[in-house]
Amino acid sequence: MARPKFYDLNVHTAPEGKNTIEEMVPLAKRFGYAGVAVTDPSNSCKPLRSAVTDGFEIISGVELSPENASKLHGLVGKYRQMVDVVVVRGGSESINRAAVENSNVDVLSNFGSMKENGLNHVLAKSASDNDVAISFDLYDIIYLRGGRRVKALSNFRKDLSLVRKYDVPFILTSNARSLYDLRAPRELMALASLFGMTREEALHGLSVVPQRILARNCPPANYVMDGVEIVDPSEGGCDQ
Amino acid sequence: MKVLPPTLRENKRYLAFELIAEGQVSRDELIREIFSASGSLLGDLGSSECNIWLFEFEDLKGVISCDRDHVWQTRAVLATISSIKGKKVILHVLGVSGTVLGATKKYLEGADIFNPKEQSHINE
């Protein structure tokens, strides 16, 4: 089997995070990632452009934290053309709902782990229909201790059962805010196994789903639209 | 004391790791942090099942042994270590092997420890 290509689609850099992308890339490379998406908040700085250096992909992204649901659609429309990965930082019920109903959103993160705002069957179904990935932010499991981590783990377990039932796409991310928040893909898999995620599922969330998101947003050069293909007339693609 | 025959000994796995750290970390400090992380994540019962032990540690690289059937739990414990004595660290597992020699030879010999500071100089 070919080596899977791992991606972390939710990494923050300076000034929002503590380290610049130049500092973080060597470590991500060392950990065996094929690429990271830099998802800084829309108000902190202009999103950078996607680039590939020495086989490592730096993917442009943005993290939107809209004040209310109606602003979300405007923001998504504005950034969709500029970046490859659109992450919405959820929180309130209405923003979560609007995000999973907008198929231009790639990832919904921080959708709340408290009882009132967490993932529910309605959101899960909608996310599945619109192909919006749910992100499991393992940052909490690394840094929280005691009761709050217990709560985070049990919420993730509950979310995972909904993800399985409705076949919701999901990604695993370290949600790194500094160099020392990054974790290697296998360490993230181990953390995800704490709340019952299998190795295959974790692999899916670290490799398959991110690649699908990227393929959708960085189409090949001769792409027109879904189901349409440019046929080279010299090859006699269609007979007259 | 009689040594147990090989078939009755517990089966172990050896995890070769590097410690990516802001400064030097001593063996005792690392041991204390590993046990504290394990106690916090798995509790006394889970820790006893995992049987994590720091086998060797020198120059920010070393080998940790654990029970064969609890490698993933051990990795999760190691991933939750984020700082030692106020210094930020990442414990990066380089590979898992069935013998100490295997772990050392395959993953540690000649391996350069990742140093974030050096890396950022290169980029400048």
Side-chain angles (χ1 to χ4, degrees):
Chain A
M1 199 181 98
R3 229 181 118 77
K5 287 171 96 179
F6 296 115
Y7 292 90
D8 192 334
L9 292 191
N10 202 347
V11 169
H12 305 282
T13 58
E16 212 259 336
K18 286 207 186 84
N19 296 95
T20 61
I21 186 68
E22 287 79 15
E23 287 168 331
M24 289 176 90
V25 163
L27 184 61
K29 244 172 151 173
R30 168 96 182 178
F31 281 165
Y33 284 106
V36 292
V38 179
T39 51
D40 288 330
S42 50
N43 51 9
S44 79
C45 56
K46 265 191 119 61
L48 52 90
R49 289 178 157 269
S50 293
V52 180
T53 45
D54 302 332
F56 188 87
E57 296 169 50
I58 300 172
I59 302 145
S60 71
V62 71
E63 186 177 77
L64 307 171
S65 348
E67 292 156 35
N68 55 48
S70 58
K71 284 205 178 145
L72 180 129
H73 298 295
L75 278 171
V76 170
K78 181 177 160 202
Y79 282 97
R80 182 67 278 179
Q81 299 303 318
M82 289 160 72
V83 301
D84 292 331
V85 177
V86 174
V87 179
V88 172
R89 196 183 179 86
S92 75
E93 176 78 51
S94 59
I95 291 174
N96 290 348
R97 186 71 188 264
V100 294
E101 282 173 355
N102 188 331
S103 57
N104 278 330
V105 175
D106 294 317
V107 177
L108 173 64
S109 79
N110 295 76
F111 44 85
S113 47
M114 293 304 131
K115 260 187 187 147
E116 55 269 29
N117 286 335
L119 195 67
N120 55 35
H121 58 291
V122 182
L123 292 179
K125 193 162 186 313
S126 202
S128 175
D129 291 345
N130 295 314
D131 207 9
V132 176
I134 295 296
S135 108
F136 285 97
D137 297 324
L138 299 170
Y139 185 91
D140 285 350
I141 300 181
I142 299 173
Y143 284 95
L144 295 180
R145 292 285 183 276
R148 295 176 67 188
R149 181 157 67 186
V150 172
K151 209 163 199 176
L153 279 169
S154 68
N155 273 310
F156 279 149
R157 186 166 285 129
K158 188 197 75 184
D159 294 343
L160 184 64
S161 73
L162 281 169
V163 159
R164 283 180 180 151
K165 181 158 171 64
Y166 292 99
D167 195 20
V168 184
F170 66 92
I171 61 167
L172 289 181
T173 157
S174 62
N175 204 354
R177 285 154 217 180
S178 84
L179 192 69
Y180 289 96
D181 297 339
L182 282 173
R183 289 291 181 275
R186 278 182 185 78
E187 259 66 49
L188 293 184
M189 287 164 91
L191 287 169
S193 75
L194 291 175
F195 54 87
M197 192 178 281
T198 64
R199 295 265 292 281
E200 289 72 31
E201 285 172 326
L203 201 62
H204 207 72
L206 278 166
S207 179
V208 179
V209 176
Q211 285 190 64
R212 208 174 67 209
I213 291 173
L214 295 177
R216 181 169 73 199
N217 298 326
C218 329
N222 55 359
Y223 174 87
V224 186
M225 63 184 286
D226 275 347
V228 179
E229 178 185 8
I230 298 174
V231 180
D232 193 351
S234 60
E235 285 172 16
C238 47
D239 299 323
Q240 289 296 317
Chain B
M1 196 184 84
K2 279 274 182 228
V3 177
L4 281 173
T7 49
L8 296 180
R9 286 179 211 159
E10 48 188 274
N11 293 300
K12 286 189 174 164
R13 283 292 176 268
Y14 298 89
L15 283 70
F17 69 92
E18 62 171 341
L19 197 68
I20 298 164
E22 280 182 324
Q24 278 299 319
V25 172
S26 78
R27 192 191 149 88
D28 287 348
E29 287 165 350
L30 180 61
I31 289 177
R32 197 163 305 157
E33 190 58 38
I34 290 172
F35 286 137
S36 133
S38 160
S40 155
L41 188 69
L42 306 173
D44 293 345
L45 176 65
S47 305
S48 76
E49 287 170 352
C50 261
N51 202 8
I52 302 176
W53 190 249
L54 181 61
F55 212 82
E56 54 183 61
F57 179 63
E58 218 185 330
D59 292 337
L60 297 180
K61 53 185 179 182
V63 176
I64 285 170
S65 73
C66 71
D67 183 77
R68 184 176 66 181
D69 299 323
H70 293 84
V71 174
W72 283 88
Q73 277 187 11
T74 305
R75 289 188 92 139
V77 167
L78 301 179
T80 62
I81 295 174
S82 56
S83 71
I84 297 175
K85 285 235 161 168
K87 288 171 220 146
K88 288 187 178 169
V89 299
I90 307 176
L91 205 152
H92 177 210
V93 176
L94 298 169
V96 184
S97 169
T99 59
V100 192
L101 194 68
T104 320
K105 265 203 166 155
K106 196 164 174 197
Y107 302 110
L108 290 184
E109 266 176 23
D112 286 328
I113 298 306
F114 183 88
N115 186 333
K117 281 185 195 137
E118 281 175 18
Q119 292 291 332
S120 52
H121 283 307
I122 295 169
N123 280 303
E124 272 162 15

